[in-house]
Every structure is written in structure tokens, then in C-alpha cells.
Amino acid sequence: MAAAAEMETVAERVFAALADPTRRSVLAMLAASGPATATDLATRLPVTRQAIAKHLALLSDAGLVTAEPGERRRVRYRLNSA
């Protein structure tokens, strides 16, 4: 029963993350172009870097993207295809 509840929680996070069109755009860009920073993504979308960072945090919490430390404290985000 606990496993079913955990799966339900994960599903809720994923569907909530995918409900927003900006987050879907972020995922599409990562799928098409590979890892990117919040700044890279903000230059391609009509959204501020701070807003992109919040979207990426939610996508990360849902397990859809993975943060990778980069050079000069820049974090690159990669689509988690699993």
C-alpha cells in the first residue's frame, strides 16, 4: 500500500510539472539541444532567468531534469529520460 501511495505522489509531481507550457518548452529545448544553464534557456524563451530557475527547480523535484555542476559555479540541467 505504501508503494502505491509513493507512486501516486511521484505521478502528481510529474503531472503538475508538465501542466505548465513553459516547463514543457524547457523540457523540449533540453531534449533537442542537450544540457543548458538557466541563462541559456532564458535567452531562448520570453521568460526571465529567475523564472526559468524556478521552473527548473520544480522539474528537478519531479525527477524530470538533473542538475550538473559546471565551470564557474554554473549549473547545467540535463533531461532525465529515465
Side-chain angles (χ1 to χ4, degrees), residues 40-63:
D40 296 336
L41 294 166
T43 62
R44 297 186 243 163
L45 288 168
V47 181
T48 65
R49 191 203 64 77
Q50 292 83 358
I52 292 292
K54 288 181 181 181
H55 286 300
L56 286 167
L58 203 149
L59 290 168
S60 180
D61 287 345

Side-chain angles (χ1 to χ4, degrees), residues 9-19 62-64:
T9 300
V10 170
E12 286 176 7
R13 284 186 188 149
V14 170
F15 287 121
L18 295 175
L64 297 171

